[in-house]
Amino acid sequence: MGRYSDINRAEELLAAKNKLEAWRKLDGPAKKAAYKTSRLGLRTNIGRQVGYIKPFGTSANFWYETKVLAPPDDPATPNEENETSLITTLVSAIIGATGKRVLTATPTGANLIIKKAKKIEFAKVRVQASSGNSREATSRFTGNKYRQQEVKSVSCSFGMIGDENEQTAREAIRAALKTALPTAIISFTPQGFVG
């Protein structure tokens, strides 16, 4: 038997359940449209550029060409969907001063092998940073109102410098990001298939 407080809310809960069932019956494109609407103002626009990644466990002269995170065109003029400081910080940690875990210029040297990346699962870092703000939002599942925290996130693939292992690279990236963004949530996806 339910709690007395739940019984008193039976009609309200039934209405929410019916809205949830209606959402579950939507097709894929309709669910994506609802998600996109719920994320308005919280998306992070990112640019892409050609980059070169040396996967962990490969030889020093083996690179893959792929698309990687690009710094904002004009960091001085952020817009609603372009979290320029977050993007710039991640680009610096991956491409900048901590070492070139992603090259943005074609690798040079003797006996290089460069392939276009297709279905490659590079190691990836994801950074989430809260703006400290919240806003009233409407659940796309039930239509109920709730407070939504404004959190921006950005991710980027990375490879190795020299012959370092993936754990060493993660620690260096985490240290660089935590220095610049002490309250950010940093997570990693390990390197998968590389063939």
Side-chain angles (χ1 to χ4, degrees):
M1 189 76 183
R3 292 184 304 191
Y4 190 71
S5 60
D6 290 337
I7 294 169
N8 284 339
R9 296 177 50 225
E11 289 181 16
E12 176 188 343
L13 294 172
L14 182 59
K17 179 187 180 294
N18 291 338
K19 288 177 184 174
L20 178 58
E21 289 300 321
W23 179 84
R24 286 181 175 153
K25 291 177 183 174
L26 294 175
D27 62 2
K31 285 181 180 177
K32 285 182 181 178
Y35 175 76
K36 189 173 182 181
T37 301
S38 74
R39 296 292 297 170
L40 285 177
L42 297 179
R43 284 180 43 239
T44 303
N45 262 353
I46 58 172
R48 295 284 180 193
Q49 63 185 333
V50 173
Y52 301 87
I53 296 176
K54 182 173 27 170
F56 295 97
T58 58
S59 68
N61 63 348
F62 191 84
W63 295 84
Y64 277 109
E65 179 183 318
T66 188
K67 292 284 188 179
V68 296
L69 187 64
D73 291 333
D74 186 0
T77 57
N79 62 45
E80 179 186 11
E81 295 182 349
N82 198 348
E83 184 60 40
T84 56
S85 62
L86 184 59
I87 295 168
T88 303
T89 301
L90 183 54
V91 167
S92 295
I94 300 292
I95 299 172
T98 62
K100 305 281 187 189
R101 289 188 171 78
V102 172
L103 295 182
T104 53
T106 306
T108 57
N111 303 318
L112 285 181
I113 300 169
I114 300 173
K115 290 186 174 181
K116 292 237 185 218
K118 293 180 183 176
K119 298 183 181 178
I120 304 298
E121 299 169 11
F122 295 112
K124 186 175 282 191
V125 59
R126 182 172 190 239
V127 182
Q128 291 177 279
S130 173
S131 67
N133 300 326
S134 65
R135 64 182 187 172
E136 187 172 274
T138 303
S139 169
R140 65 187 187 275
F141 306 115
T142 63
N144 294 340
K145 301 284 187 190
Y146 68 98
R147 295 301 300 173
Q148 183 179 44
Q149 294 296 317
E150 294 183 0
V151 176
K152 303 282 187 174
S153 66
V154 180
S155 63
C156 185
S157 299
F158 65 93
M160 65 178 178
I161 300 173
D163 60 355
E164 72 179 349
N165 63 38
E166 190 171 342
Q167 186 59 38
T168 303
R170 285 184 183 195
E171 289 167 6
I173 292 168
R174 184 184 303 278
L177 290 171
K178 279 296 184 183
T179 300
L181 303 166
T183 61
I185 297 170
I186 302 164
S187 59
F188 293 89
T189 303
Q191 179 175 291
F193 173 77
V194 177

